[in-house]
């Protein structure tokens, strides 16, 4: 039996809200539209960029939503080049938790709304890329909660849905896990409240990495 644990990235492995809100604010300013408040921005973290903009501005023309997605990419790359982005720290216990799961025989993966480049950079920065056997990003899949990311992760790892768990901080992660037939476990240290995760179908919501490790024992 192959056991696979797939983690979301933003809000689950790393706390990236400062950089996301900064780039989002700049992208909206570039098109002359008032940026949403930070809480609203945190609520859409995990969606693909176009889906993010369509959710934030549902009544806007598609051209504007597309332009905002492009402006966000440009703003993020520009802020990175300028050295203006802050380090996206790992949440407490993540590094040791990944090692322990791997030692127990779990295969590990990531399914994220980040780009390939963005994910590669953050995993390399924290020197944790070697823990993961499958990396799925918004560059190659429909936006969460579509199950495509998780389905390909399972195919690459050789894992069945019944032996796979999706771990994330948003309702999008929970819905994706359920749509793929996997277990869905929420974490309460990210960007959606525990009751939102439960409403989306989370099996349970854990408060720290030791609790997650106990659940996956």
């Amino acid at each position: 039996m192959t056991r696979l644990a797939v983690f979301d990235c933003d809000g689950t492995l790393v706390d990236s809200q400062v950089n996301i809100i900064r780039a989002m604010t700049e992208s909206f300013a570039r098109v002359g539209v008032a940026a949403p408040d930070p809480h609203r921005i945190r609520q859409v973290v995990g969606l693909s960029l176009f889906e993010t903009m369509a959710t934030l501005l549902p009544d806007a023309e598609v051209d504007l939503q597309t332009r905002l997605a492009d402006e966000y990419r440009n703003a993020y790359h520009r802020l990175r080049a300028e050295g203006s982005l802050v380090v996206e720290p790992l949440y407490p216990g993540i590094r040791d938790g990944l090692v322990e799961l791997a030692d127990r025989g779990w295969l590990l993966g990531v399914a994220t709304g980040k780009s390939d480049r963005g994910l590669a950079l953050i995993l390399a920065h924290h020197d944790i890329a070697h823990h993961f056997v499958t990396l799925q990003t918004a560059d190659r899949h429909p936006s969460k909660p579509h199950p495509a990311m998780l389905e390909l992760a399972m195919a690459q790892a050789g894992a069945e849905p019944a032996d796979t768990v999706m771990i994330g901080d948003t309702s999008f992660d929970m819905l994706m896990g359920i749509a793929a037939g996997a277990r869905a476990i929420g974490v309460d240290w990210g960007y959606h409240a525990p009751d939102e995760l439960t409403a989306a179908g989370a099996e349970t919501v854990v408060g720290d990495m030791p609790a997650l490790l106990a659940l996956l024992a």
Side-chain angles (χ1 to χ4, degrees):
M1 178 183 70
T2 299
R3 297 185 299 172
L4 175 65
V6 179
F7 289 82
D8 170 54
C9 186
D10 297 316
T12 302
L13 294 176
V14 299
D15 187 359
S16 50
Q17 63 179 309
V18 172
N19 291 337
I20 291 171
I21 291 169
R22 184 177 297 175
M24 193 72 71
T25 300
E26 182 170 320
S27 64
F28 272 74
R30 291 263 175 174
V31 301
V33 177
D37 66 71
H39 174 73
R40 182 71 180 119
I41 293 172
R42 285 191 292 269
Q43 286 297 105
V44 296
V45 171
L47 296 175
S48 67
L49 273 180
F50 177 79
E51 193 70 23
T52 291
M53 301 310 178
T55 301
L56 291 174
L57 291 179
D59 298 325
E61 297 290 334
V62 171
D63 286 350
L64 177 57
Q65 295 167 345
T66 301
R67 184 182 169 196
L68 276 166
D70 290 339
E71 289 291 352
Y72 179 90
R73 291 188 193 92
N74 294 337
Y76 211 96
H77 293 328
R78 183 165 52 251
L79 290 168
R80 180 183 288 122
E82 293 171 354
S84 299
L85 295 181
V86 300
V87 172
E88 298 177 352
L90 290 173
Y91 284 103
I94 292 295
R95 186 183 303 279
D96 290 342
L98 296 176
V99 172
E100 183 166 341
L101 285 173
D103 286 346
R104 293 181 188 177
W106 283 83
L107 297 183
L108 306 179
V110 177
T112 176
K114 279 186 179 295
S115 65
D116 287 332
R117 182 185 182 207
L119 178 60
L121 285 170
I122 196 65
L123 296 182
H125 175 80
H126 291 295
D127 191 26
I128 58 173
H130 59 283
H131 292 302
F132 302 105
V133 301
T134 179
L135 301 173
Q136 307 302 325
T137 77
D139 282 349
R140 291 168 282 112
H141 294 283
S143 177
K144 297 176 183 178
H146 193 286
M149 287 190 199
L150 198 48
E151 289 171 342
L152 185 54
M154 291 187 291
Q156 290 182 345
E160 296 297 323
D163 302 316
T164 299
V165 57
M166 179 65 212
I167 301 158
D169 69 302
T170 71
S171 58
F172 316 127
D173 299 312
M174 303 301 98
L175 292 168
M176 179 175 68
I178 292 166
R183 297 170 65 188
I185 297 176
V187 302
D188 75 355
W189 54 77
Y191 306 143
H192 284 193
D195 60 337
E196 294 176 89
L197 302 179
T198 301
E203 171 186 319
T204 190
V205 180
V206 297
D208 54 29
M209 197 62 179
L212 177 61
L213 291 172
L215 190 64
L216 298 181

